[in-house]
Amino acid sequence: MSDPHDTLPAFIRESLGETHTSEADARELLGALASAMAVPPPASLRARLLATVDSDAEYLAPFKQRLAAWFDLSIDAMQEHLARSREALGWEAAPIPGVELFHFAGGPAAAAADCGLVRVAPQTAFPEHSHLGREAVVLLVGGYVDSEGRRWGPGDEHVMEAGTTHAYRTEDEGCLLAVRLDVGIEIPGVGRLGPG
């Protein structure tokens, strides 16, 4: 006769050890455990957790240090720009539907570049454009698929050198990008965008 514990997950069998709990009792205990885990946290705990995650100090926190170095800014200055970008003020419409820009000055090593954030609405096609100089992008939120079929997502750094062209389409979530544009881009029918 087979041991009824043999049908239980290994971690349950190990925790029961040599006890002679019936399979039905073990399944009942497992069901009670699953039900207890499905109970949502108290509203006050949930509110505190969401407030912490949603605070300006935590906004895009995993990228703070990387972006500070990338834009040649202090971590505090970078955090200020990220916090300000959460407000409606400071964003401007780009000449491409569904695209918004948030500019800020980079530090000495990035002073000549166009630095900022770009917010692109879901399922937006950013048209084919030429890079007049180097363009570097770090994906912060969401993602896009470029004209070569490659998907770029959070944390990816996409660098386009002068003389290259590409286009992309955002996914269902849209995307938020950090952009450092050294010379500019040329978009047929739109014109030149970039520093200066």
Side-chain angles (χ1 to χ4, degrees):
M1 180 170 161
S2 68
D3 183 348
H5 292 154
D6 288 345
T7 62
L8 296 173
F11 76 96
I12 297 292
R13 286 194 312 267
E14 289 170 13
S15 66
L16 291 174
E18 296 297 318
T19 63
H20 295 287
T21 306
S22 72
E23 182 176 4
D25 288 344
R27 289 196 182 280
E28 185 178 333
L29 287 170
L30 190 56
L33 177 62
S35 294
M37 291 173 57
V39 173
S44 61
L45 175 61
R46 186 175 189 278
R48 275 192 4 240
L49 179 61
L50 290 175
T52 301
V53 170
D54 199 39
S55 74
D56 286 342
E58 296 303 314
Y59 183 61
L60 298 173
F63 296 103
K64 240 186 333 194
Q65 191 167 1
R66 180 178 176 189
L67 294 179
W70 208 51
F71 290 119
D72 193 29
L73 296 168
S74 70
I75 292 175
D76 288 343
M78 190 69 242
Q79 184 57 50
E80 281 182 40
H81 292 309
L82 293 174
R84 278 190 318 106
S85 75
R86 298 188 73 190
E87 302 167 8
L89 298 173
W91 285 92
E92 62 185 66
I96 299 154
V99 179
E100 297 177 291
L101 310 171
F102 182 85
H103 297 280
F104 54 82
D114 189 359
C115 299
L117 303 177
V118 176
R119 191 164 50 194
V120 188
Q123 294 296 321
T124 296
F126 196 100
E128 184 83 21
H129 57 280
S130 303
H131 301 103
L132 305 174
R134 185 174 191 265
E135 177 185 19
V137 169
V138 174
L139 275 283
L140 304 175
V141 177
Y144 62 76
V145 176
D146 69 16
S147 46
E148 294 179 4
R150 180 168 176 196
R151 183 192 183 279
W152 300 84
D156 289 341
E157 186 169 329
H158 190 180
V159 177
M160 289 75 53
E161 298 296 341
T164 62
T165 62
H166 82 131
Y168 64 85
R169 175 175 284 282
T170 57
E171 297 175 325
D172 291 340
E173 186 181 359
C175 65
L176 177 65
L177 319 164
V179 179
R180 183 173 163 175
L181 192 58
D182 290 343
V183 177
I185 61 174
E186 183 74 36
I187 304 173
V190 173
R192 184 181 184 279
L193 299 176

